Amino acid sequence: PRNASKEIERCNPATQQRLRPIFDKTLLIFEQGLLMAIIHGELASNNIFAKADEITTIFDFETTEYAPRILDVAFSYLSFVYDEELDSASVRKELLKGYNSAAEIKLTSQEEDYFPTAVRYVSAATAAWCFSRGYKEYGEKFLRAGDKE
């Protein structure tokens, strides 16, 4: 998330025109007084090892930052709905339920209200990363996944 603006600037002008309105509209996520935490920034199934339904290792901390914690939940959500194989409403319900069952501080109603905004922000930021490196197909998938919320 912290480098999203830089990633958009690296995209071609047509892609910038697509991403900038989404990005600008969702930046408000940082101005709402949502609970902040040190977040992973890319908490997806490909950055987690598990054994027997227990997480054993989380790795790839290069995107760690202090930001609204709902952004980590949003990225996890996107990683599950990205391939369009799972029902997005079910993923959201189970992800929020699982987060709240494990978290010391459960998500607030305000965080849950801003979940769609967080998803769209993370979707645009991740798509920008993909587009700026020539991974157009992946960028499009992230944008589609962000539209599901």
Side-chain angles (χ1 to χ4, degrees):
R2 69 176 170 249
N3 294 320
S5 185
K6 290 178 186 175
E7 295 298 342
I8 290 172
E9 290 170 11
R10 291 181 185 147
C11 295
N12 68 49
T15 302
Q16 286 181 25
Q17 285 184 322
R18 282 182 68 198
L19 296 176
R20 184 63 61 193
I22 301 167
F23 184 66
D24 291 344
K25 190 180 217 182
T26 57
L27 271 175
L28 63 94
I29 197 86
F30 294 95
E31 302 166 359
Q32 301 307 309
L34 300 173
L35 287 175
M36 303 285 283
I38 296 172
I39 66 168
H40 184 278
E42 195 180 2
L43 195 57
S45 58
N46 62 334
N47 286 331
I48 299 171
F49 285 152
K51 183 177 180 180
D53 292 334
E54 184 176 324
I55 293 174
T56 59
T57 307
I58 298 174
F59 54 94
D60 192 6
F61 288 91
E62 68 188 43
T63 56
T64 301
E65 67 179 303
Y66 187 70
R69 65 186 185 148
I70 194 68
L71 294 178
D72 254 356
V73 183
F75 193 94
S76 295
Y77 167 85
L78 284 171
S79 76
F80 287 114
V81 302
Y82 169 83
D83 285 321
E84 302 179 21
E85 295 175 7
L86 300 173
D87 175 65
S88 58
S90 297
V91 169
R92 177 185 177 162
K93 178 183 173 190
E94 293 303 317
L95 184 61
L96 296 180
K97 180 177 151 188
Y99 184 94
N100 284 329
S101 72
E104 284 185 33
I105 301 173
K106 294 180 182 197
L107 293 171
T108 65
S109 60
Q110 183 188 27
E111 286 173 303
E112 290 191 24
D113 290 346
Y114 275 96
F115 181 74
T117 303
V119 167
R120 284 190 289 280
Y121 175 82
V122 172
S123 167
T126 307
W129 187 94
C130 293
F131 288 131
S132 71
R133 286 161 177 75
Y135 304 124
K136 183 179 179 187
E137 177 186 344
Y138 298 110
E140 295 294 345
K141 283 180 128 182
F142 274 107
L143 286 178
R144 279 195 304 276
D147 286 342
K148 293 179 184 289
E149 210 20 68

